[in-house]
Amino acid sequence: MHENTKEITELVVNAKKQAYEGKGIVPEPAFTKNIKWPVKCIVGPGLEGAIACESKVGYVNGSQGWLIYRGYDIFDLCAYSTYEEVCYLLLFGSLPSEKQLNSFKKDLIKLRSIPGTIGLLRKFPIKESNAMATLRIGTNFLRRESTYLDLPDYKPDTTSAISADEDSIPMETIPKGERHAIYEFDKSKNTKKPDNVDKNLYSPSGYDSCCRLISSVASVAAAGERLRTSQVVIKPDPELSHAANLIYMITGKRPTAVEERIMDIILILHADHGINASTFASLVVASTLSDIYFAVGSGVAALNGPLHGGANERVLSMLLEIGSPENVKDWFKKARSEKRKIMGFGHRVYKAYDPRARVLGPLAEFLVNASGSSENKKIFEIAKALENEVVINLGKDKKIFPNVDFYSGIVYSCLGFSQEMFTPLFAVSRVAGWVARIAEYLEHNRIFRPRTIYTGPLNKKYIPINKRIKKVK
Ligand code: CMC
């Protein structure tokens, strides 16, 4: 790593020390071995506590504040790894050799160029669209550009589907959970290339499509931003890393070694996080044997919401609304009395300090100081004062602490990104987790199909329309 980035590594190492002060990661006895389905769990509203599948991709321990990708601690990956290496790790399960990493990087670089998708984006009303809407439609355009799914002679082969009808399980019985039916289609048949297909078109579920999505969702986000702001779309630079090229394609400036390093860390931090809402959305779509592009598109759509990735944009608006560190106490009191959710705080899983916020806070502070901008400094001071207020008031009892979205926007702003790009940047990184988990899930696919508890009436007598009494408004 570049000499100038040592300070950044130290920040991460210190964050790790703070996180593990007095505790470490201790493997639990018989940790996650030999799962026997069905598993018992207590399910709350919003599927809280529900266990949907097994995975070896990543582990989040919310009470301890641990985040692990394929066995590796997030702090170590941030301190010593790169986004490309982490993507390889998430996809293949082990850290690459130098040769494997170089070849993987070459594959990603080759896939940065998306002329067909950019052509289609130019016809899309980008200026009137939210940046996440552009990113979502862009994943569809990538599907068109990269796969043969829309070719006239491509017909999915469904003949090998086993006719185990979900609704033949009486809904009033508790599902037994045995592997009583194999719901899978024969994937190789289902995704068979039609004859005479261009060699650049990929299988919609293979390795190439995973790489395509990791690499070119970044290009879509960058092209979308350039077109939205009436700027020339910048061609990817094959000499640059994924992180540096992303900054370059969006801002038009080649980053310094420190900026590149920070971008790499922010990409690593956002790459995967259990089956959060967007990952689950993409798994649900993939489980129907739709395709990985549609699945990733649905991940983008789910990530957009303010309770999920969309919170990072809202955090900046909230800090601007507060206006100064002196206003924090009154603002917080009012927000609580109005029962407002404070953006960038709280988490379904973390009931301890989010390890990602532990890294992002110091990175934000570092960049704010380096920028010398009084505006940045003020925003950061408001953020620190708000963190203090929330943790004092809600930390102990409600276990509410800053989450990944609280400081990320300040980091993005200091790197030169507009507020509209905060959530797309989250997606650019999270796509690695989506595709890794989709690929893993499809190995033993079973369609996701939970149930509801019906609380409506039964036995209502049908009344023809002309006999229904009109309600007077
Ligand atoms: N501000 C104020 N109160 C909160 C907050 C918050 N940010 N988060 C949770 N609470 C309170 C909530 O009001 C409830 O209190 P009570 O028990 O008195 O009704 C309690 O904590 C439990 O909250 P919940 O909404 O039932 O928790 P959840 O697990 O359903 O929601 C969450 C998790 C992340 C959606 C929620 O904490 C939230 O809305 N946070 C603000 C939005 C945000 O920052 N989202 C980013 C999440 S992290 C990264 C990502 O996924 O993108």
Side-chain angles (χ1 to χ4, degrees):
M1 259 164 223
H2 197 283
E3 188 62 13
N4 298 354
T5 64
K6 274 191 180 154
E7 202 178 339
I8 307 300
T9 307
E10 276 165 27
L11 286 181
V12 179
V13 171
N14 275 339
K16 179 177 180 182
K17 262 192 213 139
Q18 276 180 10
Y20 292 133
E21 221 143 54
K23 52 182 179 157
I25 293 191
V26 187
E28 293 154 27
F31 183 58
T32 61
K33 294 272 170 356
N34 302 326
I35 307 295
K36 283 216 169 67
W37 292 85
V39 292
K40 277 192 184 158
C41 51
I42 294 175
V43 180
L47 292 183
E48 178 172 12
I51 296 167
C53 57
E54 293 170 38
S55 175
K56 291 185 168 58
V57 175
Y59 174 62
V60 186
N61 184 315
S63 60
Q64 302 289 334
W66 300 341
L67 174 55
I68 315 277
Y69 295 168
R70 298 276 190 188
Y72 296 92
D73 188 306
I74 192 66
F75 291 108
D76 294 339
L77 294 171
C78 285
Y80 309 115
S81 192
T82 61
Y83 182 64
E84 288 89 329
E85 190 174 60
V86 166
C87 288
Y88 185 99
L89 174 69
L90 290 171
L91 272 179
F92 300 110
S94 57
L95 288 170
S97 66
E98 210 163 344
K99 196 170 158 213
Q100 287 167 325
L101 182 60
N102 285 339
S103 137
F104 183 63
K105 280 186 189 167
K106 272 190 200 147
D107 286 346
L108 293 183
I109 288 170
K110 215 171 53 198
L111 296 165
R112 284 179 186 165
S113 179
I114 48 164
T117 299
I118 293 174
L120 291 166
L121 282 176
R122 286 186 197 284
K123 296 181 194 150
F124 179 72
I126 279 189
K127 288 192 183 155
E128 297 103 71
S129 302
N130 162 293
M132 285 295 275
T134 304
L135 193 63
R136 214 199 68 71
I137 196 86
T139 58
N140 253 39
F141 296 158
L142 277 179
R143 177 179 183 274
R144 254 188 107 72
E145 176 171 2
S146 324
T147 75
Y148 43 81
L149 286 168
D150 289 336
L151 293 183
D153 4 336
Y154 169 68
K155 287 189 187 61
D157 179 352
T158 53
T159 53
S160 55
I162 294 170
S163 62
D165 180 2
E166 184 78 22
D167 283 333
S168 68
I169 301 166
M171 292 306 284
E172 61 278 8
T173 63
I174 297 164
K176 296 272 189 323
E178 322 96 316
R179 299 198 186 277
H180 46 78
I182 300 164
Y183 284 78
E184 287 173 57
F185 294 88
D186 177 336
K187 273 186 272 154
S188 60
K189 275 190 193 168
N190 189 39
T191 58
K192 190 169 174 280
K193 256 187 190 188
D195 297 334
N196 305 323
V197 139
D198 180 340
K199 67 178 178 13
N200 293 320
L201 295 183
Y202 304 128
S203 150
S205 59
Y207 163 81
D208 289 325
S209 282
C210 292
C211 290
R212 168 55 114 182
L213 282 156
I214 290 173
S215 182
S216 40
V217 165
S219 305
V220 175
E225 174 69 348
R226 301 291 295 181
L227 293 169
R228 188 182 67 79
T229 52
S230 307
Q231 298 185 80
V232 175
V233 174
I234 294 174
K235 282 202 178 124
D237 180 344
E239 299 301 317
L240 297 180
S241 68
H242 188 80
N245 181 58
L246 178 62
I247 297 181
Y248 171 60
M249 285 196 302
I250 296 175
T251 66
K253 291 189 207 110
R254 286 186 166 75
T256 63
V258 169
E259 289 166 336
E260 176 183 4
R261 185 78 202 99
I262 291 177
M263 190 71 222
D264 235 338
I265 292 175
I266 206 163
L267 286 168
I268 293 169
L269 281 175
H270 286 83
D272 185 62
H273 204 251
I275 47 170
N276 54 82
S278 59
T279 304
F280 187 51
S282 64
L283 285 175
V284 169
V285 172
S287 83
T288 69
L289 298 183
S290 179
D291 65 78
I292 201 162
Y293 292 82
F294 278 159
V296 163
S298 62
V300 173
L303 189 73
N304 179 55
L307 299 186
H308 194 6
N312 60 10
E313 278 185 63
R314 265 74 166 195
V315 168
L316 185 58
S317 305
M318 177 183 73
L319 299 175
L320 291 168
E321 179 196 316
I322 296 172
S324 100
E326 293 75 52
N327 298 342
V328 162
K329 277 189 187 300
D330 287 346
W331 183 93
F332 177 76
K333 225 189 225 166
K334 188 159 177 278
R336 291 294 293 156
S337 70
E338 291 166 354
K339 300 202 180 318
R340 259 173 90 168
K341 282 280 181 76
I342 299 155
M343 291 288 120
F345 287 91
H347 200 276
R348 173 62 64 80
V349 179
Y350 288 121
K351 301 302 164 204
Y353 208 104
D354 184 331
R356 302 164 301 174
R358 280 192 192 277
V359 175
L360 288 164
L363 286 183
E365 184 169 20
F366 173 88
L367 281 171
V368 161
N369 290 337
S371 76
S373 145
S374 55
E375 198 45 39
N376 286 345
K377 198 159 178 262
K378 191 161 108 187
I379 292 289
F380 184 72
E381 281 168 2
I382 301 170
K384 278 310 265 186
L386 183 61
E387 172 182 346
N388 200 30
E389 194 65 19
V390 175
V391 171
I392 284 174
N393 286 284
L394 303 175
K396 195 155 175 264
D397 295 342
K398 285 195 175 280
K399 311 276 181 232
I400 292 175
F401 299 97
N403 60 46
V404 69
D405 292 318
F406 189 58
Y407 285 107
S408 62
I410 300 180
V411 176
Y412 290 139
S413 291
C414 291
L415 290 174
F417 299 118
S418 70
Q419 192 175 352
E420 286 78 1
M421 285 307 284
F422 293 179
T423 315
L425 284 166
F426 189 157
V428 162
S429 167
R430 182 56 57 84
V431 71
W434 293 333
V435 296
R437 284 178 185 266
I438 290 168
E440 179 189 53
Y441 191 76
L442 287 176
E443 291 288 312
H444 305 281
N445 184 49
R446 190 160 191 229
I447 191 167
F448 280 107
R449 211 297 196 178
R451 299 163 62 182
T452 60
I453 302 171
Y454 179 68
T455 56
L458 295 170
N459 299 329
K460 277 195 152 186
K461 191 170 175 321
Y462 183 84
I463 303 166
I465 195 157
N466 56 353
K467 301 252 167 74
R468 287 173 215 161
I469 300 161
K470 278 189 205 144
K471 275 190 189 155
V472 184
K473 280 193 181 169

